[in-house]
Each structure stands twice: as structure tokens, then as C-alpha cells.
Amino acid sequence: MRPDIVRVLQPIVIIAVSLVVVWLLLGGTQQFMNFLTLGAIYALIALGYTMVYGIIELINFAHGDLFMFGAFVAMWILTVPLGMTGAVDNPLQLTVILVVVMLPTMIVMGLLGTFIERFAYRPLRHAPRLAPLITAIGVSFILQNVIYSVFGPSPVNVPQVFPLTRFEFLGGRVSFLSLFMVAIAVFLMVLLQLFVGRTRLGRAMRSTAQDREAAELMGVDINQTIAITFFIAAALAGAGGTIQGLYFGSVQFNLGFFVGLKAFTAAVLGGIGNTTGAALGGFVIAFIEVFATQLGYSRWSEVAVFTVLILVLVFRPSGILGQQLGERA
Amino acid sequence: MSAATADPGNGTILRAHRVTKAFGGLVAVKEVDLEIPPTSIVSLIGPNGAGKTTFFNVIAGILDPTSGHVEFRGDRMIARPIRTWFEPVVWVTPSVVAGVISVLVYLATANADATALAVLAAIGLLIVMFLAAIVRPRWYLRLLATAGVFRSSRPNDMVKAGMGRTFQNIRLFANMTALENVQVGMHTKMRANAADALLSTPRARAEEKASQARAREFLGIVGLRGRAGELAKNLPYGDQRRLELARALASEPTLLLLDEPTAGMNPRETAQMTQLIDRLRRDLGISILLIEHDMKVVMGISDRIYVLDHGELISQGSPDAVRADPRVIEAYLGKPAS
């Protein structure tokens, strides 16, 4: 009984303590909420990088652009079919709107992800590893240019459906929007952990990541498993995109590049192939960025992020959480 | 999907008919016949390099024979899906047909609305076919099989058809627990899909629970009852071998292929494993094909032994007959210096 309690409590205590430390370092609630929202976005995207890498050892450079694409899909749903222009005050109505935006965005992105896998990556599964990598860069360009040609080069506004009500919390003002977004992101991440850890298809994913051939010979349908992985990865990117659009208020066709690069850094930092590590990495990167801004070096925040990437690659290439999901037997 | 369900009349589980496998000019297996009756232990032995593994891979459906064929439960197996390029064609065709029809509709009626509807239908059809390929590959494969383009012994189809196997070098999922490894083996026996998993339906939860109980049973059969929660990589070597066996059993095979199950084991472990294999055949009523280079292992438990050397079948029969066969002695010990 006792070790069980310790096992459950230990991570909770660690998370709580580090959150308090981060809160203190960031000098209060305002920046802390920025950190949480940014961290949630990075974590959602980093999960996609890490899952795809874990299962087919491909660094999916198109993943950042899937995130961008998702942001545009969410923006489009808000603007065109829903016809939103301003804030919605009725909380019930707001919730319905969020569901109607986020769920279809995730489904559409998931389908797009599987579609890309089916036609761009699957034919190259037995090709040298450089080939799918280049293909991924190509897919990234395609996605960017599709959005470019439809929505043009300039930033597009996302209707701000959240009322700007804030409430005081520990000496800072917190908007419902950011709380809500963080809650959704954490919910999705928990859902993913449960899916990967406790279900038949999650087991199939992990076994495929560890030894594809053996998994196949045990009856796992590899193609289906990889397709599901891409679906989930892209759907999470879609969720991240929705949050990004609602939080920052505008989206642009080249949005995916930098965010994608940072999320990739997060995935490497956490230990690529490791889902918990990716989520952790996302928040670490967000912390570095917000902290740099807090210290008054906002223009150096990206330098800081990529310095961390280099340091990790040099000193601990396997990432914070070391052991990889895709470790070979 | 040729490896289907029905047994042939005489009950033979697997029959290899004049199987030859050549890699370029090298003939690894030459015109080998083999038959596995129900609930029997058949062994395939031969010195290193005799072509055992190649033959094993042909039987397991991983390699296609250069000539000859393998029948598993009455169906011929083909490893490479025929005409894979045809696959996209099959699911694009309905939409193309719908598109052509929509053009015809337009020409006939000049009604823009009707045409738009038909075009939408074509796109819809394309999406449905695509979804079917992803979400319900089995329906999709059946459709392809009906269209006559797709027959395969893809490894996961073979498992569904009732063939389980272990590996010569242990290939467990090292970072998963013993229990999870066995559950992966049960993959084809479980039905929960993505929707079940996301919604955590009662059906999926019940199935998950049942699968855990069942996996524990299989661990019990191989004598690993107490080690369910341990990571596979932390188990001692002999236990890893047993776990592999449990994982293969979890797919409830009719035929179990064991590739050198005692490789690297000490004499005591070897004796235990041999007993275990014998017990499996008796208790579970399955057939077992055993590949070994060590004659001692197979003598006690085999019903029938096939001996390969240099890719050719040099002897076959009961253990006693094989043991006495001068050609077998020669292959194993070399020519007597006469």
C-alpha cells in the first residue's frame, strides 16, 4: 500500500514544487500564465514529433506546418460557418463554440496527417532514411503554400470569442481563456498517456515502436498502427493550433516554422521518442523563453532556446528522460 | 488473405510441397516436402547453415518459395501481395466512375445542381474508401480480395489464421512488462478500436480486464505467474525465452513455430523447456514445429523429425529411425575416416 502512495504522490509533489519555483522565478502570475499557455502549445506539438519519431524514426518536419494548418482550420471554422466576430459572454454558448471548433479541427487535421502518411511517407518506408526526411520538408512547403495561396501572406485575425474578463489571483490577473486552454491541453495529454499506456492500440503502438517486425509477427497491423499514430499526432497539432489562434489572436502562413522548431527542440530536450519527456520539454522551453523575456532579454529568447538544444545534444543526447520509447531490444 | 479458416479434409495443419528457395544462384532450400499433422510435434533439424531458417521463413509466410508451395490449413500462402500498385487504383476507381457519371449527368440534363451533387458524391466516395482503408482495413482487404487483386500471407494475417512463432534471438518488447508483452500477443484476439479506447466504453474496459486475466493465465502456463509486472528486459534469460513462448501462445495458434527455443540455455533450463513444449502440445492440443540444430533436444519429444543438410532433406521419420540413419550421422559428425 505504502509504495503505491509514494508512487502516486511523488510526481504530484515534484510538479507542484517546480510550478511554485517557476512562479517565483517568473515574478508572479502574469508571466506564469504566459508560460503555461506557451508550454501547453509546445507540449502538444512536441508530442507529435516524438510519437512519429518513436514509431517510424522520422523527424516529421511537416509537423510544425500541420500545427499552422490546424490554426487556420480553426480560424476558418470560427469565421465562416460560425460567423463569429466578437466576444461571446454566455459561458454555455462559449463552451459549445469551443467544442464545435476544436473537435472538427482535430478530426480534419488527423485525417490530413494520415493522408500525408499514406501518400508521402508510407511508400518510402523501406527507403534510406534521408528520403522521407526530404519528403517531410517537401510536405512542409506544400502545406505552407496551400495556406499562402488561400489566405495570402499577411496575418489573418482570429475572432476573439473569449470575453476579456480576468480575475485577480495571487497578485496578478488571469484570463479565463488561458486557464481554459491549459486545462484542455493537460486533459489531452492525460488522455494520450492513458491511450498509449492502457489500451490495445496503445500497446500496439509501443510494441511497433520497439520492434516493428516482431510486432507484425505477433499479429499487429503495422500500417494501421502507424496511421493511427499520425492521426493522433496531427490531431494534437490541430488542438495546439486552435489554442494558438485563440490566444494570440492572429495566424500567419509561416507560423509553423518557428513554433515547430521550438517544439522539436522540446521533443529532443525531453528525450525524443518519450511522450512524457516531450510534454516536459515543451514546458521547459516555454519557461526558458518567458524567463528570458522576464529578465528583459526578449530578443535573446530564441537564442536561449536553441543554445539549450545544442547543450542537450552535446551533453545528454538522449534527453532529460533518457530512456527512449523506441529503444531496440 | 488466402490463409483462411477451414481445415482440409485430412486434417493436416501445414504441408510444404517441393519447396525450393534460391537467393540468386545460391539454392538455400531444395525441393523439401514436409507435413505437420494435428497435435503433433514435428522437428526440423540440421547442422548450422543447412537452410533451416530459410525454410522456416518460407513456412512462416515471410518468404515466398522460388518454386513449390506451402499450404496452411488447406490454403496456399503468398507472402508478397500481388500487384500492390493496384491497391490505390481500387479505391480511386469508384470516385472516377462517379465523376464520369456526373459529367454524363451534366451533359444529359445541363442541370448544374444535379452535377454538383454527383461531384460531391464522387468526393464523398473517395473519402469513404480512404477511411475504410484506414479504419477498417479488414473490410478493405476483403474488397480487394473480392476484386482478385490481393492475397497475402502478411505476418499479421498469418497470426489471425492461427500461426504463432518465437524467434531465434529473443525479440521481446524490452520496455514493456511481461504482462503487456503477452497482451500484444493477444492483439488479433481483441476487438477494441480507436473509438472504444477514446470513449473508454464498457465493452473496451471489460475486454481489457479479461485480456489481463487471460495474459496472466498464459504466464502461468509457462511458469512466470509471479513476474507479470516486471519489464521484459529485467527478466533473466531463461524467463525471457518462456515469456516469448507465452506471447506466441496468446494468439491461440493452431500451429506454433519455435525457432531454436533452447538456444543459449544451460542443460537444466533446456530440460525444463523441453518438458514445457511437450506439455503444451498435450494440454493445449496445438501442433508444434521445432527448429533445432541440437539433436538431443528434439529426440525425446518429437513425433517426426526432418533432417536438412545443404538445403536438402536427407532423412525423415521417427526419432529412432533418424538417429540410426547413417546419412544423418555423417552430416552431424562428418564422414568416418575409412
Side-chain angles (χ1 to χ4, degrees), chain A residues 119 200 203 206 210-211 217, chain B residues 171 173-174 180 192 208:
Chain A
F119 291 102
R200 165 179 180 258
R203 264 194 309 275
R206 282 182 293 148
Q210 288 181 39
D211 188 337
L217 291 168
Chain B
R171 292 182 73 172
F173 306 117
E180 285 178 322
E208 183 65 24

Side-chain angles (χ1 to χ4, degrees), chain B residues 213-264:
Chain B
R214 193 116 178 76
R216 276 177 215 282
E217 271 175 42
F218 283 116
L219 285 176
I221 291 176
V222 299
L224 290 176
R225 191 173 289 282
R227 320 212 92 169
E230 281 185 57
L231 290 184
K233 64 178 173 192
N234 295 339
L235 291 174
Y237 182 83
D239 287 354
Q240 290 194 2
R241 282 253 171 237
R242 288 158 178 278
L243 179 54
E244 237 193 0
L245 195 57
R247 185 179 66 174
L249 287 175
S251 66
E252 295 171 37
T254 326
L255 173 64
L256 189 57
L257 305 178
L258 303 178
D259 194 356
E260 305 216 2
T262 63

Side-chain angles (χ1 to χ4, degrees), chain A residues 2 28-29 33 52 77 157 164 174 202 244 247 253 261 327:
Chain A
R2 199 145 195 88
T29 310
M33 287 316 292
V52 167
I77 294 178
N157 284 330
L164 290 169
V174 179
Q244 163 91 16
Y247 192 70
F253 79 101
L261 220 48
E327 193 179 284

Side-chain angles (χ1 to χ4, degrees), chain B residues 11 49 57 125 137 187 207 277 295 315:
Chain B
N57 283 336
L125 219 59
H187 188 83
E207 186 187 64
I277 293 169
M295 286 223 303
S315 175

